[in-house]
Amino acid sequence: MAQRGRAGPALAIAALGSLFAGSVVTLLIAIGGPPLAKIALLFQSADYVSVMLLGLVSAVVLAHGSVLKAIGMIVLGVMLGLVGTDVSTGEYRMTMGLDVLFDGIGFVPLSMGLFGLAEIMVNLEAATGAGVQAKMVSGLWPTRADLKRSFAPMVRGTVIGTAFGILPGGGPTIAAFSAYSLEKKISKTPERFGKGAIEGVAAPESANNAAAQACFIPMLSLGIPPNALMALMIGAMMVHGITPGPEIITKQPALFWGLIASMWLGNLMLVILNLPLIGVWVRLLQVPYRYLFPTILILCCIGTYTLNSSTGDVIVMTVFGVIGYAFRKLDCEPAPLLLGLVLGPMLEENFRRAMVLSNGDWSVFVQRPISLGFLLLAGALLLAVALPNIRRSREQAFLE
């Protein structure tokens, strides 16, 4: 659409779709949050283990490419999450004597390396050095026909984004691609997609924002991050002495309702800030990548260093940048690894607690109805993805 001089309507629809989806999901959180918190108070350690296993299995099912590779990435992520000091015994585990690993592998250095540096390497390998040659923006607001075409995709994108946001292992990225794939499949003119179809902007943008906010539902109700971004949010809350979970809603209602209000204000400010600056964002498309990547690299290094004022974290980021580039070449998606890193320590802690409370009786995971339900759901997902028809449909969906 930028190449056709319609970057203005595209960005306007993106902002309006995000506002619509964000407002709907914020209302859903406000209405459904308190009842979910009461249900979450019934959870015990065995139930938390099962729901985290469901999250890891979901990440495998939703990961791009081979299921076996996704399982390998999950296992590797969980193992990396166990690096550092054992919280129960105080012993160092898998640190190889390196001081920088005594507190574990940091989430920020690893994610900056896997997603930041690796992305730079891939782009430098593929880039021609020139930016996108976008035409001048001829108008800002979409036409009435654009709005008519975009409304139904916004609604469908909001539903898809909410589902993937709540589901452990999902998130904005997979929600956006799923929404785009659905719109292309149900469209009477699928050949328009990729050539300036405004529905291909409205649905993914709505799904992206809906998923980003729906991720707060499992975090606030269970204290479990469904994706890496929510894990970072949990870390920020714990720094301020706030323990995520159902008690936030019951014991700190001012914080919960303040968060709801901030979501609405944030969505509104997204539109207010984005629309007047559309011309600036379009011009950024024309900046050659050879000028952009040094800035991105510097920001990654600054962000990683300032976290703990540690050069060791920068080295860790660099190492995982190289590893992330190798993963791209091997067609291994890094997102499941990141989720395994986040959920690994929580899974270990709750598993240990469940074993202590049950005196080492493994049947505790099937004796509790909540835990058994999540385990059966995880097993059903694994069985479903193993079926030939579903496996072919999954591969076709990711191909599209």
Side-chain angles (χ1 to χ4, degrees), residues 135-212:
K135 294 183 179 179
M136 293 298 294
V137 179
S138 56
L140 172 61
W141 286 100
T143 64
R144 182 175 297 182
D146 289 334
L147 293 173
K148 184 177 180 181
R149 287 177 178 172
S150 300
F151 180 72
M154 284 182 189
V155 175
R156 287 189 288 265
T158 300
V159 174
I160 292 172
T162 303
F164 277 106
I166 296 174
L167 183 66
T173 303
I174 188 68
F177 279 108
S178 299
Y180 182 89
S181 178
L182 175 64
E183 291 303 317
K184 186 177 180 181
K185 281 188 176 182
I186 66 176
S187 175
K188 296 180 180 179
T189 55
E191 65 278 1
R192 294 171 49 246
F193 284 73
K195 299 179 182 178
I198 200 162
E199 303 96 308
V201 176
E205 285 296 329
S206 301
N208 173 73
N209 208 40

Side-chain angles (χ1 to χ4, degrees), residues 81-393:
L82 302 180
V83 173
T85 306
D86 189 313
V87 294
S88 300
T89 65
E91 295 289 332
Y92 295 133
R93 303 181 299 187
M94 298 181 283
T95 61
M96 298 176 288
L98 300 175
D99 295 350
V100 72
L101 298 179
F102 286 171
D103 291 330
I105 296 175
F107 168 80
V108 173
L110 184 140
S111 57
M112 287 283 195
L114 287 180
F115 294 98
L117 297 189
E119 187 71 21
I120 289 174
M121 295 180 192
V122 171
N123 287 340
L124 285 176
E125 187 177 41
T128 60
V132 175
Q133 298 303 312
K135 294 183 179 179
M136 293 298 294
V137 179
S138 56
L140 172 61
W141 286 100
T143 64
R144 182 175 297 182
D146 289 334
L147 293 173
K148 184 177 180 181
R149 287 177 178 172
S150 300
F151 180 72
M154 284 182 189
V155 175
R156 287 189 288 265
T158 300
V159 174
I160 292 172
T162 303
F164 277 106
I166 296 174
L167 183 66
T173 303
I174 188 68
F177 279 108
S178 299
Y180 182 89
S181 178
L182 175 64
E183 291 303 317
K184 186 177 180 181
K185 281 188 176 182
I186 66 176
S187 175
K188 296 180 180 179
T189 55
E191 65 278 1
R192 294 171 49 246
F193 284 73
K195 299 179 182 178
I198 200 162
E199 303 96 308
V201 176
E205 285 296 329
S206 301
N208 173 73
N209 208 40
Q213 291 189 212
C215 291
F216 281 89
I217 295 175
M219 189 197 79
L220 292 173
S221 59
L222 298 175
I224 295 176
N227 56 41
L229 182 60
M230 287 298 103
L232 194 59
M233 181 71 74
I234 284 181
M237 295 174 73
M238 295 181 71
V239 167
H240 292 281
I242 302 169
T243 303
E247 292 187 352
I248 285 183
I249 301 176
T250 57
K251 293 185 177 180
Q252 296 178 290
L255 175 64
F256 172 73
W257 292 110
L259 182 63
I260 296 298
S262 71
M263 288 181 181
W264 262 312
L265 288 174
N267 282 297
L268 181 61
M269 291 303 297
L270 178 69
V271 176
I272 295 174
L273 291 176
N274 270 355
L275 295 185
L277 298 177
I278 282 180
V280 177
W281 310 137
V282 172
R283 290 189 182 93
L284 283 178
L285 294 172
Q286 299 175 335
V287 178
Y289 192 73
R290 63 177 178 272
Y291 297 139
L292 284 178
F293 91 86
T295 304
I296 300 172
L297 183 61
I298 292 171
L299 290 175
C300 287
C301 292
I302 292 175
T304 302
Y305 177 80
T306 53
L307 189 67
N308 296 310
S309 299
S310 170
T311 55
D313 286 342
V314 179
I315 295 173
V316 171
M317 178 191 72
T318 306
V319 170
F320 278 101
V322 176
I323 294 174
Y325 177 75
F327 285 157
R328 298 291 184 91
K329 290 297 183 181
L330 296 173
D331 198 24
C332 295
E333 189 177 354
L337 184 150
L338 201 60
L339 190 65
L341 175 79
V342 173
L343 292 181
M346 299 173 64
L347 182 64
E348 179 195 19
E349 179 183 352
N350 283 281
F351 177 78
R352 282 184 171 185
R353 188 179 296 126
M355 288 290 96
V356 169
L357 294 175
S358 65
N359 294 318
D361 185 3
W362 287 70
S363 64
V364 66
F365 296 107
V366 295
Q367 288 176 351
R368 290 190 53 78
I370 297 176
S371 175
L372 178 61
F374 284 122
L375 288 177
L376 290 175
L377 187 55
L381 281 176
L382 283 177
L383 181 62
V385 80
L387 296 175
N389 290 338
I390 295 180
R391 186 171 65 249
R392 283 194 295 268
S393 299

